[in-house]
Amino acid sequence: NEYIRQRVNPEKPEHIFLSNIVDGNGNSLSPEDEISITLTSIEEEATNKEQRCNRIRQDKTYSFTEPEIRLNLYVIVSVRPGKNAGGSTKYVDALARLSMVAEFFQSHPYFDQRTIRNPNVSDNLKRVIVDLHSVSFESQSYIWGTHGGHYIPSLLYKVRLIHILEDTITKEVPVVETVDVGSDDGGL
């Protein structure tokens, strides 16, 4: 938000909003001339999915937790053009704001604990990668239709590798410290 604020209007505190595109009646929820971010889809990252439980050794016990879930989020970054005094749209201004978003993510392609300054972000968040995601015209039409809106200038980003890990222990087992091999082992 600070990046955009410095380039658009340093006096105005907010320029980026998390919002649906329209409400249940089809009315736009995106503020005119402002950047809106809308979650459009969530998928599990299955290509590098952890299959086993994590083991944490504490004294003489192994504790097991369920493996973490890795998610990808697809978000639409859009700008609904407002109207000039004469009634014409500020389409060029909307495109300029989208260009600022593209420039920001081009120069800041990932975020981690060091670069995210938000107390609401979990300590388990390791690294988030933001990629511009291209879709066909048909997919783009479907996405906008699903959200109930008409197309407005926008970019689609894939936010990769959101890690979700609950540290709840599901099982504890003692550590095997010695193996007792008796003489009845069949000659082994």
Side-chain angles (χ1 to χ4, degrees), residues 56-88:
I56 306 160
R57 186 171 182 179
Q58 297 172 340
D59 300 325
K60 296 186 178 207
T61 305
Y62 278 113
S63 301
F64 293 88
T65 61
E66 292 301 318
E68 70 182 1
I69 298 172
R70 296 174 184 164
L71 300 177
N72 295 322
L73 309 177
Y74 290 88
V75 296
I76 296 173
V77 179
S78 60
V79 179
R80 185 168 64 100
K83 302 257 188 223
N84 287 319
S88 62

Tab-separated table of all heavy atoms in Angstrom, residues 56-88:
chain	number	residue	atom	x	y	z
A	56	ILE	N	9.339	-34.994	15.979
A	56	ILE	CA	10.076	-34.048	16.794
A	56	ILE	C	10.544	-34.792	18.032
A	56	ILE	O	9.730	-35.308	18.785
A	56	ILE	CB	9.167	-32.876	17.208
A	56	ILE	CG1	8.531	-32.240	15.969
A	56	ILE	CG2	9.931	-31.851	18.021
A	56	ILE	CD1	7.299	-31.423	16.269
A	57	ARG	N	11.838	-34.885	18.222
A	57	ARG	CA	12.360	-35.616	19.380
A	57	ARG	C	12.429	-34.690	20.576
A	57	ARG	O	13.029	-33.636	20.534
A	57	ARG	CB	13.735	-36.174	19.083
A	57	ARG	CG	14.204	-37.039	20.221
A	57	ARG	CD	15.436	-37.785	19.898
A	57	ARG	NE	15.751	-38.603	21.066
A	57	ARG	CZ	16.768	-39.400	21.127
A	57	ARG	NH1	17.558	-39.526	20.096
A	57	ARG	NH2	17.001	-40.099	22.197
A	58	GLN	N	11.780	-35.113	21.638
A	58	GLN	CA	11.803	-34.369	22.893
A	58	GLN	C	12.194	-35.360	23.975
A	58	GLN	O	11.430	-36.260	24.294
A	58	GLN	CB	10.438	-33.771	23.188
A	58	GLN	CG	10.026	-32.758	22.131
A	58	GLN	CD	8.582	-32.313	22.317
A	58	GLN	OE1	7.793	-32.970	22.954
A	58	GLN	NE2	8.278	-31.191	21.727
A	59	ASP	N	13.373	-35.192	24.498
A	59	ASP	CA	13.920	-36.120	25.487
A	59	ASP	C	13.970	-37.527	24.893
A	59	ASP	O	14.705	-37.767	23.975
A	59	ASP	CB	13.126	-36.072	26.793
A	59	ASP	CG	13.158	-34.684	27.413
A	59	ASP	OD1	14.209	-34.032	27.289
A	59	ASP	OD2	12.154	-34.258	27.982
A	60	LYS	N	13.176	-38.445	25.404
A	60	LYS	CA	13.216	-39.828	24.928
A	60	LYS	C	11.905	-40.217	24.257
A	60	LYS	O	11.443	-41.338	24.370
A	60	LYS	CB	13.518	-40.766	26.090
A	60	LYS	CG	14.895	-40.514	26.660
A	60	LYS	CD	15.255	-41.520	27.698
A	60	LYS	CE	16.680	-41.210	28.160
A	60	LYS	NZ	17.357	-42.367	28.656
A	61	THR	N	11.296	-39.232	23.558
A	61	THR	CA	10.011	-39.477	22.916
A	61	THR	C	9.997	-38.847	21.526
A	61	THR	O	10.513	-37.756	21.324
A	61	THR	CB	8.866	-38.849	23.746
A	61	THR	OG1	8.936	-39.339	25.071
A	61	THR	CG2	7.525	-39.176	23.164
A	62	TYR	N	9.429	-39.548	20.563
A	62	TYR	CA	9.152	-38.962	19.259
A	62	TYR	C	7.708	-38.513	19.247
A	62	TYR	O	6.806	-39.256	19.622
A	62	TYR	CB	9.361	-39.977	18.129
A	62	TYR	CG	10.792	-40.115	17.708
A	62	TYR	CD1	11.486	-41.289	17.929
A	62	TYR	CD2	11.451	-39.073	17.066
A	62	TYR	CE1	12.811	-41.429	17.530
A	62	TYR	CE2	12.770	-39.201	16.676
A	62	TYR	CZ	13.439	-40.377	16.903
A	62	TYR	OH	14.737	-40.503	16.515
A	63	SER	N	7.475	-37.290	18.822
A	63	SER	CA	6.119	-36.765	18.699
A	63	SER	C	5.805	-36.613	17.225
A	63	SER	O	6.642	-36.191	16.438
A	63	SER	CB	6.009	-35.407	19.385
A	63	SER	OG	6.335	-35.528	20.745
A	64	PHE	N	4.594	-36.962	16.865
A	64	PHE	CA	4.176	-36.885	15.475
A	64	PHE	C	3.120	-35.801	15.298
A	64	PHE	O	2.225	-35.651	16.132
A	64	PHE	CB	3.587	-38.227	15.026
A	64	PHE	CG	4.603	-39.328	14.964
A	64	PHE	CD1	4.887	-40.096	16.086
A	64	PHE	CD2	5.288	-39.588	13.796
A	64	PHE	CE1	5.828	-41.101	16.028
A	64	PHE	CE2	6.223	-40.598	13.734
A	64	PHE	CZ	6.498	-41.360	14.853
A	65	THR	N	3.233	-35.065	14.217
A	65	THR	CA	2.211	-34.100	13.813
A	65	THR	C	1.839	-34.407	12.373
A	65	THR	O	2.597	-35.080	11.660
A	65	THR	CB	2.724	-32.656	13.905
A	65	THR	OG1	3.844	-32.513	13.028
A	65	THR	CG2	3.118	-32.287	15.319
A	66	GLU	N	0.713	-33.924	11.950
A	66	GLU	CA	0.322	-34.112	10.563
A	66	GLU	C	1.192	-33.238	9.669
A	66	GLU	O	1.671	-32.184	10.094
A	66	GLU	CB	-1.157	-33.754	10.375
A	66	GLU	CG	-2.093	-34.718	11.071
A	66	GLU	CD	-1.935	-36.153	10.582
A	66	GLU	OE1	-1.793	-36.375	9.368
A	66	GLU	OE2	-1.940	-37.060	11.431
A	67	PRO	N	1.432	-33.670	8.424
A	67	PRO	CA	2.279	-32.858	7.543
A	67	PRO	C	1.612	-31.527	7.213
A	67	PRO	O	0.390	-31.412	7.239
A	67	PRO	CB	2.420	-33.727	6.290
A	67	PRO	CG	1.324	-34.713	6.361
A	67	PRO	CD	0.959	-34.882	7.786
A	68	GLU	N	2.451	-30.550	6.909
A	68	GLU	CA	1.918	-29.235	6.594
A	68	GLU	C	1.177	-29.264	5.257
A	68	GLU	O	1.411	-30.139	4.423
A	68	GLU	CB	3.040	-28.197	6.538
A	68	GLU	CG	3.975	-28.340	5.363
A	68	GLU	CD	5.093	-27.305	5.390
A	68	GLU	OE1	5.165	-26.492	6.327
A	68	GLU	OE2	5.895	-27.324	4.464
A	69	ILE	N	0.303	-28.318	5.089
A	69	ILE	CA	-0.415	-28.142	3.832
A	69	ILE	C	0.197	-26.940	3.135
A	69	ILE	O	0.429	-25.901	3.765
A	69	ILE	CB	-1.911	-27.886	4.089
A	69	ILE	CG1	-2.544	-29.071	4.792
A	69	ILE	CG2	-2.640	-27.590	2.776
A	69	ILE	CD1	-3.968	-28.806	5.252
A	70	ARG	N	0.432	-27.073	1.861
A	70	ARG	CA	0.968	-25.959	1.077
A	70	ARG	C	-0.097	-25.542	0.072
A	70	ARG	O	-0.589	-26.364	-0.691
A	70	ARG	CB	2.252	-26.373	0.372
A	70	ARG	CG	3.333	-26.715	1.365
A	70	ARG	CD	4.557	-27.256	0.720
A	70	ARG	NE	5.511	-27.658	1.749
A	70	ARG	CZ	6.536	-28.426	1.523
A	70	ARG	NH1	6.780	-28.883	0.318
A	70	ARG	NH2	7.350	-28.749	2.507
A	71	LEU	N	-0.420	-24.261	0.094
A	71	LEU	CA	-1.502	-23.753	-0.745
A	71	LEU	C	-1.015	-22.713	-1.729
A	71	LEU	O	-0.062	-21.983	-1.464
A	71	LEU	CB	-2.589	-23.111	0.131
A	71	LEU	CG	-3.267	-23.998	1.154
A	71	LEU	CD1	-4.245	-23.179	1.980
A	71	LEU	CD2	-3.980	-25.160	0.483
A	72	ASN	N	-1.709	-22.648	-2.848
A	72	ASN	CA	-1.550	-21.573	-3.816
A	72	ASN	C	-2.854	-20.793	-3.844
A	72	ASN	O	-3.931	-21.384	-3.853
A	72	ASN	CB	-1.263	-22.121	-5.214
A	72	ASN	CG	0.052	-22.850	-5.290
A	72	ASN	OD1	1.026	-22.452	-4.674
A	72	ASN	ND2	0.083	-23.934	-6.030
A	73	LEU	N	-2.751	-19.483	-3.827
A	73	LEU	CA	-3.918	-18.617	-3.902
A	73	LEU	C	-3.898	-17.899	-5.250
A	73	LEU	O	-2.846	-17.432	-5.678
A	73	LEU	CB	-3.902	-17.574	-2.784
A	73	LEU	CG	-3.683	-18.062	-1.361
A	73	LEU	CD1	-3.637	-16.879	-0.408
A	73	LEU	CD2	-4.754	-19.050	-0.955
A	74	TYR	N	-5.042	-17.825	-5.875
A	74	TYR	CA	-5.172	-17.037	-7.100
A	74	TYR	C	-5.956	-15.784	-6.751
A	74	TYR	O	-7.065	-15.868	-6.213
A	74	TYR	CB	-5.887	-17.838	-8.188
A	74	TYR	CG	-5.037	-18.972	-8.712
A	74	TYR	CD1	-5.054	-20.219	-8.098
A	74	TYR	CD2	-4.198	-18.788	-9.804
A	74	TYR	CE1	-4.268	-21.253	-8.564
A	74	TYR	CE2	-3.408	-19.822	-10.278
A	74	TYR	CZ	-3.446	-21.053	-9.643
A	74	TYR	OH	-2.656	-22.076	-10.106
A	75	VAL	N	-5.377	-14.635	-7.024
A	75	VAL	CA	-6.026	-13.371	-6.693
A	75	VAL	C	-6.113	-12.488	-7.936
A	75	VAL	O	-5.216	-12.474	-8.776
A	75	VAL	CB	-5.297	-12.617	-5.552
A	75	VAL	CG1	-5.347	-13.401	-4.257
A	75	VAL	CG2	-3.869	-12.292	-5.918
A	76	ILE	N	-7.233	-11.789	-8.022
A	76	ILE	CA	-7.424	-10.799	-9.088
A	76	ILE	C	-7.094	-9.440	-8.485
A	76	ILE	O	-7.622	-9.081	-7.430
A	76	ILE	CB	-8.876	-10.791	-9.596
A	76	ILE	CG1	-9.240	-12.118	-10.249
A	76	ILE	CG2	-9.092	-9.637	-10.572
A	76	ILE	CD1	-10.703	-12.235	-10.614
A	77	VAL	N	-6.235	-8.710	-9.150
A	77	VAL	CA	-5.951	-7.335	-8.773
A	77	VAL	C	-6.609	-6.481	-9.851
A	77	VAL	O	-6.262	-6.571	-11.026
A	77	VAL	CB	-4.434	-7.061	-8.708
A	77	VAL	CG1	-4.176	-5.614	-8.330
A	77	VAL	CG2	-3.758	-8.008	-7.724
A	78	SER	N	-7.606	-5.687	-9.458
A	78	SER	CA	-8.382	-4.930	-10.450
A	78	SER	C	-8.509	-3.474	-10.036
A	78	SER	O	-8.347	-3.121	-8.863
A	78	SER	CB	-9.774	-5.546	-10.617
A	78	SER	OG	-10.470	-5.534	-9.399
A	79	VAL	N	-8.818	-2.643	-11.032
A	79	VAL	CA	-9.090	-1.230	-10.799
A	79	VAL	C	-10.346	-0.878	-11.599
A	79	VAL	O	-10.363	-1.011	-12.821
A	79	VAL	CB	-7.919	-0.324	-11.244
A	79	VAL	CG1	-8.258	1.145	-11.003
A	79	VAL	CG2	-6.638	-0.701	-10.519
A	80	ARG	N	-11.399	-0.459	-10.888
A	80	ARG	CA	-12.639	-0.052	-11.550
A	80	ARG	C	-12.501	1.420	-11.902
A	80	ARG	O	-12.433	2.278	-11.008
A	80	ARG	CB	-13.842	-0.283	-10.644
A	80	ARG	CG	-15.173	0.015	-11.330
A	80	ARG	CD	-16.329	-0.503	-10.508
A	80	ARG	NE	-16.478	0.131	-9.225
A	80	ARG	CZ	-17.368	1.098	-8.958
A	80	ARG	NH1	-18.181	1.521	-9.874
A	80	ARG	NH2	-17.428	1.590	-7.750
A	81	PRO	N	-12.475	1.729	-13.211
A	81	PRO	CA	-12.309	3.137	-13.599
A	81	PRO	C	-13.477	3.997	-13.126
A	81	PRO	O	-14.633	3.614	-13.260
A	81	PRO	CB	-12.280	3.092	-15.130
A	81	PRO	CG	-11.988	1.676	-15.480
A	81	PRO	CD	-12.542	0.835	-14.362
A	82	GLY	N	-13.143	5.145	-12.546
A	82	GLY	CA	-14.166	6.113	-12.159
A	82	GLY	C	-14.559	6.960	-13.357
A	82	GLY	O	-14.195	6.660	-14.507
A	83	LYS	N	-15.281	8.018	-13.102
A	83	LYS	CA	-15.742	8.918	-14.164
A	83	LYS	C	-15.125	10.300	-13.979
A	83	LYS	O	-14.957	10.778	-12.854
A	83	LYS	CB	-17.265	9.059	-14.114
A	83	LYS	CG	-18.020	7.755	-14.235
A	83	LYS	CD	-18.578	7.609	-15.583
A	83	LYS	CE	-19.484	6.383	-15.608
A	83	LYS	NZ	-19.316	5.598	-16.758
A	84	ASN	N	-14.786	10.926	-15.108
A	84	ASN	CA	-14.347	12.319	-15.092
A	84	ASN	C	-15.569	13.216	-14.915
A	84	ASN	O	-16.712	12.754	-15.001
A	84	ASN	CB	-13.653	12.675	-16.413
A	84	ASN	CG	-12.278	12.058	-16.515
A	84	ASN	OD1	-11.536	12.036	-15.542
A	84	ASN	ND2	-11.944	11.553	-17.685
A	85	ALA	N	-15.331	14.508	-14.704
A	85	ALA	CA	-16.436	15.459	-14.550
A	85	ALA	C	-17.352	15.450	-15.775
A	85	ALA	O	-18.551	15.644	-15.657
A	85	ALA	CB	-15.881	16.859	-14.297
A	86	GLY	N	-16.805	15.195	-16.945
A	86	GLY	CA	-17.598	15.170	-18.168
A	86	GLY	C	-18.328	13.856	-18.389
A	86	GLY	O	-19.068	13.709	-19.359
A	87	GLY	N	-18.118	12.863	-17.507
A	87	GLY	CA	-18.818	11.589	-17.632
A	87	GLY	C	-18.021	10.493	-18.319
A	87	GLY	O	-18.440	9.336	-18.332
A	88	SER	N	-16.872	10.836	-18.898
A	88	SER	CA	-16.054	9.807	-19.539
A	88	SER	C	-15.277	9.049	-18.459
A	88	SER	O	-15.021	9.568	-17.376
A	88	SER	CB	-15.104	10.421	-20.564
A	88	SER	OG	-14.222	11.315	-19.925
